[in-house]
Amino acid sequence: MNDPDGPAASARRRLLVLGGSTEASELIRAIDSEGSSVEVVLSYAGRTATRTSSPKGVEVRVGGFGGTEGLANHLRSDGITAMIDATHPFAARMPFHAAAACRSVKVPLLRIVRPAWAPEPADRWIRVTTVDDAARAVHHLPAARVLLTIGRQELGAFAECEATFVARCIDPPEIGVLPGATILLGRAPFTLEDELDVIRDHRIDLVVSKNAGGEATRAKLDAARQLGIPVIMIARPPAPPVDTVERVQDALDWIAECIGALA
Ligand code: NAP
């Protein structure tokens, strides 16, 4: 039977990129600059009020798909040819949904995740596994003034701690989630000077960080090292066993090989 939309429609290559990370934005810009013929759909969860702008011609959709089944249905109904999971290294659920949905509808999947940070000799890291463990560690440390750089969603975990908190987030947290905390609104990248100023101005004696990796937010670690301040470092959540690369260029190579759509 003939394709009612003709051969052009059946040959369409449509790439779904799950966004939420610096790499997602870089990838989208790089695909655009390579003069690709692939149709790109960029998907956001919709957690932040403001987003970095996307190149013209990139379709943007916002909001969850409705779990693994919802995503699998979306892949089918939207004619997706391949998918890149470029969610943040701390997105705990979406990578598993992506892996299961792509497996069930046989859509090739690649995950892109930047390498985690590793401590330098002068670093004073206290490694923990979860945000709740970080809150327990704060509770047991002598620190009085703590800088939280974990986003706004999980600030409530620290509500029972006696320390004074300064929390830096992109958007304001829900009112009352961490009573008494000073909220600093800001979006990465931050420079070493920015971070030294924050730590000194707020007399911070402990930093809490997720091991996000990358350059945009690493200056807080350099500042903490320089000032001899400990860092509670939260490990990344488990990830599904899917093909994974660390660099945007490797993802571009995969796209070219997988759907042959880059110039
Ligand atoms: P999550 O636990 O993995 O995802 C929760 C739910 O949000 C998913 O089940 C899915 O809903 C929806 N979702 C997540 N990413 C999506 C995307 N790119 N497009 C459409 N729906 C998406 O992730 P999270 O920790 O809530 O983070 C939400 C988003 O913020 C992610 O895209 C992540 O990359 C970004 N982010 C997270 C952190 C962090 O520290 N967690 C930091 C920076 C950025 P359905 O099940 O309904 O499909």
Side-chain angles (χ1 to χ4, degrees):
M1 201 173 89
N2 286 339
D3 181 339
D5 296 328
S10 54
R12 267 187 342 168
R13 293 142 173 169
R14 207 159 153 78
L15 177 74
L16 177 62
V17 178
L18 300 178
S21 66
T22 317
E23 287 69 25
S25 313
E26 281 175 15
L27 179 69
I28 293 288
R29 281 195 299 274
I31 294 173
D32 188 55
S33 68
E34 295 214 11
S36 153
S37 59
V38 66
E39 295 175 5
V40 181
V41 185
L42 175 59
S43 175
Y44 288 110
R47 297 284 189 276
T48 51
T50 51
R51 274 185 288 279
T52 47
S53 59
S54 303
K56 256 187 170 169
V58 170
E59 258 179 74
V60 176
R61 68 163 301 285
V62 180
F65 297 92
T68 301
E69 210 181 312
L71 179 56
N73 290 339
H74 178 91
L75 294 176
R76 263 194 232 104
S77 64
D78 201 34
I80 298 297
T81 324
M83 180 152 99
I84 302 250
D85 173 6
T87 52
H88 189 268
F90 276 80
R93 281 172 286 173
M94 198 63 203
F96 285 91
H97 294 182
C102 284
R103 199 169 47 241
S104 78
V105 297
K106 300 192 172 37
V107 164
L109 168 70
L110 182 76
R111 185 166 192 224
I112 175 164
V113 194
R114 66 186 93 123
W117 292 312
E120 296 194 8
D123 280 328
R124 297 172 58 201
W125 284 15
I126 299 145
R127 292 167 183 267
V128 298
T129 310
T130 64
V131 172
D132 287 341
D133 291 344
R136 275 188 281 277
V138 168
H139 206 64
H140 290 106
L141 284 167
R145 301 186 58 85
V146 181
L147 176 63
L148 296 177
T149 62
I150 58 160
R152 68 190 164 117
Q153 310 276 355
E154 295 157 290
L155 294 177
F158 296 85
E160 301 299 314
C161 299
E162 276 167 22
T164 299
F165 290 102
V166 176
R168 184 170 60 205
C169 337
I170 296 177
D171 293 315
E174 263 175 45
I175 292 168
V177 70
L178 188 55
T182 301
I183 306 299
L184 301 180
L185 295 183
R187 186 187 275 277
F190 302 108
T191 65
L192 178 60
E193 286 66 36
D194 294 336
E195 302 299 48
L196 289 169
D197 285 349
V198 168
I199 292 177
R200 287 188 183 124
D201 291 352
H202 294 273
R203 291 175 287 119
I204 297 298
D205 54 9
L206 176 66
V207 175
V208 179
S209 172
K210 291 178 170 178
N211 196 336
E215 289 309 309
T217 59
R218 76 162 296 131
K220 64 190 164 192
L221 306 180
D222 300 332
R225 183 184 318 114
Q226 198 165 310
L227 299 172
I229 292 172
V231 175
I232 294 180
M233 186 60 76
I234 304 165
R236 293 177 172 188
V242 298
D243 288 346
T244 302
V245 296
E246 294 181 342
R247 298 177 325 132
V248 167
Q249 185 55 53
D250 295 331
L252 289 169
D253 293 346
W254 181 86
I255 295 167
E257 203 174 304
C258 180
I259 50 180
L262 298 182

